[in-house]
Amino acid sequence: MKSMARFVTLITCCAILASAVSAFAGDNVFREVFEDGFYGGAAGALVGAALMAFTKKPADHLDYMGYGAASGILVGSAYGLAKSAHSLAQIDKGSIKFALPTVLPDLAESPASHQTNITWRAELLRGTF
């Protein structure tokens, strides 16, 4: 069971890091966090049901779906919150707002060796002047 939990955690982390983030001026943060939590809960319940199918008596392990849904809601909500925070500091009309920056993976090709490397990018400062 411990190895299965590690596998699910690894798949979830890969899914979070592989997704693209877009920013719109009229974002509704609560709706975005709620939707991500809802979809995470649905996906977690499906993963729990799939794990339940590998047991000898699936009817005795219905709690797998509940645990999967609960962990999916937590991971989905955390993803929604991380996705809604775009930069570490944002300057808007003379006020400064601090938040956790969104860390995005990016592919960069080295001109000298012609190798493709994975780089991590985070916005530290955003402002309108």
Side-chain angles (χ1 to χ4, degrees):
M1 185 65 187
K2 193 179 258 188
S3 63
M4 187 60 70
R6 288 181 184 168
F7 176 73
V8 170
T9 304
L10 178 67
I11 294 297
T12 304
C13 289
C14 289
I16 288 172
L17 294 176
S19 65
V21 177
S22 61
F24 298 105
D27 280 342
N28 187 353
V29 176
F30 178 74
R31 179 178 178 203
E32 192 171 321
V33 171
F34 182 77
E35 283 180 355
D36 289 338
F38 178 76
Y39 291 135
L46 288 174
V47 170
L51 292 176
M52 187 178 64
F54 293 111
T55 61
K56 289 185 181 180
K57 294 184 179 180
D60 293 339
H61 300 285
L62 291 175
D63 57 341
Y64 284 9
M65 290 191 326
Y67 291 137
S71 60
I73 288 171
L74 292 175
V75 170
S77 297
Y79 173 70
L81 285 173
K83 191 168 67 169
S84 66
H86 300 291
S87 62
L88 178 65
Q90 183 172 354
I91 303 169
D92 188 27
K93 298 178 186 173
S95 64
I96 299 175
K97 299 176 186 176
F98 291 98
L100 291 174
T102 302
V103 179
L104 299 172
D106 195 16
L107 294 176
E109 185 174 338
S110 173
S113 63
H114 297 292
Q115 291 181 340
T116 303
N117 298 322
I118 297 176
T119 58
W120 299 94
R121 179 172 51 95
E123 288 185 14
L124 297 180
L125 180 66
R126 174 186 290 181
T128 55
F129 302 100

